[in-house]
Amino acid sequence: MMAEPQKLVQLTRTEDELLELERRYSSWGDTVHYLDPPKFFARAEGSYLYDGEGTPYLDLQMWYSAASFGYGNARLKDALVRQLNTLPQLASQYLHPERVELSAAIARLNASKFGMDGRVHFNVGGSQAIEDSLKIVRNATGKGLVFAFMGGYHGRTLGASAITSSYRYRRRYGHFSDRAHFVPFPYCFRCPYDKRRETCELYCVDQFAKNFETEYNSFWDAKAGESEFSAFYVEPIQGTGGYVIPPREYFPALKKILEERNILMVDDEIQMGFYRAGRFWAIENFGVAPDIVVFGKAMTNGLNPLSGVWAREDLISPEVLPPGSTHSTFASNTLGTAVALEVIRMMEEENYQRITQTKGAYFLTQLRNLQQRYPRVIGHVDGLGLALRVEICREDGHEPDRELTDKIFKEGMKGDLNVRGRMMGLVLDVGGYYKNVFTLSPCFEITEEEIDIAVELIELLIRRCAPDRC
Ligand SMILES: Cc1ncc(COP(=O)(O)O)c(C=O)c1O
């Protein structure tokens, strides 16, 4: 006889008991355990996460930029509750006003920014929206091959993995026949061509252009006047790649080549969109109009998974992409679209361009001062809006120091830093090609005082983890 199962759910377990269950029953394939044991949090508010003992952790990554408007943002919470109380569920074949309003708002916004008509298509996560964009590109061009950047990240579904640079993300899943052709990103601090920005004259763009010089370079049929490649997937500022900010002239020069070769530009704004980099879309910093824009994360402040694709009318109109061409049950769900619409209304009422640019400039100045005080620890800092990077290097100021980066990150999560008489922790995110970059995406509501505290916390961590280099 089988034993009677115990009561399936208990809500009174200790953290140790929960960890034991997690070790036994949770897949680790859908997470990363950066800490051993992984950390529990009990509460979140504004820029802070709180552990079970009530210790605050200043969060400088805000769920990889998904919660840009602050944990528990009252206005967005109210929008969610309103929707929950009126139309909490609805199959996507029916319409609800928020969905239509949201599509129209984004389409009109892009018409004003890029001077092009287009339409909006929803899904539930960034990767799924990337899949949809790949389908839109394939459907419109009849071609499967795309360019993407080294250091780029577009997600983990199969299609998105095929255009994401890291081999580690693909190696368990067999052969990807339509893997992107990966092009070096203009990471000027570590120029892939060993050039210097002052004298390079955008050598990297010339190298890309050379692919099309002769059919024997394998990209271009001069007789047909046609490329084998349909699109170039770009992150205007690389997210997972380490918040790498290209020179302002780079994207206009790249776009010119793409236009000459009839190749679409797909702009992945999943991490940088919704003002993270000081403009609604990060690509606006570069004065370039993409053909397709993909977005997600902060659109709902992380309150409900919702993502989307905007595409030029001729690529996505119902004549080209008929009803039912691709679909997900939860796409355009009522809760997500209601919150996203409230986000757009907030953006209409408040000047987020000014907020993110002003706060970002202040934060960057403090980080530059910190770098001057610790040149044997910090090799590079940079930022655009509230997307900021701190690159941890060895004494020479250039060679990546992954071990020290990891140590600083782990010490920050102990919650035992005494700042202004208060015990605190610091939540950092590690990214970059060499896993030595703190990619900072603070809350848009962060105050100057909190920015000062953030820099003090980083300084305490540097002094604790690398005393011999201070
Ligand atoms: C630029 C970019 N594209 C795509 C994705 C994938 O989005 P998701 O994790 O929601 O599938 C991410 C996630 O970090 C991202 O940063």
Side-chain angles (χ1 to χ4, degrees):
M1 271 226 329
M2 298 262 287
E4 278 282 307
Q6 295 168 353
K7 201 162 175 289
L8 283 180
V9 181
Q10 286 178 33
L11 294 175
T12 52
R13 295 186 215 268
T14 63
E15 278 192 9
D16 284 344
E17 287 168 339
L18 288 169
L19 282 170
E20 181 106 10
L21 286 190
E22 202 262 352
R23 272 192 286 273
R24 172 69 187 83
Y25 293 111
S26 296
S27 160
W28 287 359
D30 65 353
T31 183
V32 192
H33 286 161
Y34 293 112
L35 294 171
D36 185 19
K39 189 155 181 66
F40 282 95
F41 282 105
R43 197 165 71 78
E45 195 182 331
S47 288
Y48 293 92
L49 293 173
Y50 295 84
D51 66 14
E53 270 133 40
T55 306
Y57 290 68
L58 179 57
D59 193 338
L60 291 185
Q61 62 123 321
M62 298 307 289
W63 197 358
Y64 311 106
S65 211
S68 292
F69 301 93
Y71 294 121
N73 181 299
R75 183 167 169 177
L76 299 176
K77 195 168 73 183
D78 286 350
L80 184 68
V81 172
R82 261 198 320 274
Q83 192 68 30
L84 207 50
N85 288 333
T86 48
L87 186 65
Q89 296 116 317
L90 185 71
S92 300
Q93 82 240 42
Y94 308 116
L95 293 179
H96 61 283
E98 290 78 8
R99 165 196 181 159
V100 180
E101 288 283 352
L102 184 61
S103 309
I106 294 173
R108 287 181 173 158
L109 195 84
N110 281 6
S112 72
K113 289 183 183 305
F114 304 134
M116 279 183 276
D117 285 336
R119 287 170 191 261
V120 174
H121 176 112
F122 292 111
N123 211 317
V124 286
S127 308
Q128 288 85 345
I130 289 286
E131 299 286 325
D132 286 342
S133 73
L134 284 164
K135 287 182 178 175
I136 291 167
V137 167
R138 285 182 176 210
N139 179 59
T141 66
K143 294 177 190 171
L145 293 185
V146 303
F147 293 106
F149 280 117
M150 293 179 186
Y153 183 92
H154 301 289
R156 300 292 199 99
T157 50
L158 280 177
S161 299
I163 63 168
T164 288
S165 54
S166 172
Y167 167 51
R168 182 166 63 86
Y169 299 156
R170 287 190 303 272
R171 57 177 274 267
R172 297 173 189 285
Y173 309 113
H175 178 59
F176 286 72
S177 59
D178 42 18
R179 197 157 65 88
H181 176 83
F182 293 104
V183 174
F185 192 74
Y187 181 2
C188 300
F189 180 62
R190 301 185 185 283
C191 175
Y193 297 105
D194 281 334
K195 302 277 179 197
R196 296 183 64 83
R197 178 67 198 105
E198 305 80 60
T199 51
C200 75
E201 295 178 12
L202 292 182
Y203 178 84
C204 50
V205 178
D206 290 344
Q207 290 306 108
F208 179 67
K210 278 198 174 150
N211 288 321
F212 304 96
E213 258 176 24
T214 149
E215 69 190 71
Y216 296 99
N217 288 351
S218 87
F219 293 91
W220 181 250
D221 179 341
K223 272 195 186 150
E226 195 181 307
S227 169
E228 200 178 5
F229 286 75
S230 54
F232 200 140
Y233 273 71
V234 311
E235 287 169 272
I237 296 172
Q238 291 197 322
T240 306
Y243 283 20
V244 186
I245 303 169
R248 298 296 160 111
E249 309 79 25
Y250 178 81
F251 279 114
L254 181 72
K255 184 70 166 62
K256 187 164 172 286
I257 299 170
L258 298 181
E259 276 170 15
E260 282 163 12
R261 305 297 168 180
N262 208 14
I263 295 169
L264 300 169
M265 179 184 271
V266 184
D267 175 21
D268 181 344
E269 295 274 354
I270 292 165
Q271 191 160 158
M272 292 295 152
F274 290 80
Y275 285 105
R276 173 52 58 196
R279 305 291 293 265
F280 192 99
W281 304 122
I283 197 77
E284 290 177 70
N285 289 295
F286 304 94
V288 160
D291 303 289
I292 295 177
V293 182
V294 192
F295 44 91
K297 288 195 198 278
M299 174 159 66
T300 62
N301 203 33
L303 281 180
N304 191 279
L306 187 74
S307 60
V309 182
W310 169 89
R312 251 173 38 195
E313 180 69 9
D314 59 309
L315 303 172
I316 200 176
S317 76
E319 291 77 50
V320 182
L321 194 74
S325 294
T326 181
H327 172 65
S328 161
T329 301
F330 298 112
S332 70
N333 67 81
T334 55
L335 299 178
T337 48
V339 180
L341 196 62
E342 197 65 25
V343 165
I344 302 270
R345 290 177 64 203
M346 266 166 52
M347 289 177 166
E348 266 192 321
E349 289 163 30
E350 292 226 34
N351 189 341
Y352 276 95
Q353 183 165 320
R354 188 182 50 74
I355 292 171
T356 50
Q357 289 185 359
T358 311
K359 291 183 182 184
Y362 180 77
F363 208 148
L364 185 58
T365 305
Q366 306 314 311
L367 291 173
R368 290 219 160 103
N369 292 341
L370 190 69
Q371 184 189 17
Q372 274 180 2
R373 293 202 292 283
Y374 300 96
R376 296 167 68 216
V377 174
I378 300 177
H380 188 245
V381 298
D382 203 358
L384 200 50
L386 275 171
L388 301 137
R389 74 191 311 269
V390 178
E391 188 151 338
I392 303 296
C393 297
R394 297 201 181 277
E395 283 90 334
D396 68 353
H398 201 262
E399 198 186 323
D401 194 340
R402 181 179 181 157
E403 294 73 33
L404 179 56
T405 314
D406 197 45
K407 200 169 167 192
I408 291 173
F409 158 73
K410 285 184 175 149
E411 287 295 320
M413 293 302 282
K414 285 188 176 163
D416 64 351
L417 297 161
N418 187 337
V419 174
R420 305 181 184 194
R422 198 170 166 215
M423 284 314 233
M424 290 177 74
L426 184 65
V427 181
L428 293 165
D429 182 41
V430 177
Y433 298 25
Y434 304 97
K435 296 284 167 250
N436 71 317
V437 182
F438 291 122
T439 51
L440 310 185
S441 43
C443 175
F444 292 172
E445 311 299 330
I446 197 167
T447 61
E448 270 194 13
E449 192 191 359
E450 284 170 333
I451 293 175
D452 292 342
I453 291 175
V455 176
E456 283 171 42
L457 285 164
I458 298 173
E459 181 159 14
L460 277 175
L461 287 168
I462 290 174
R463 297 190 77 83
R464 183 188 283 188
C465 299
D468 50 326
R469 280 151 61 181
C470 295

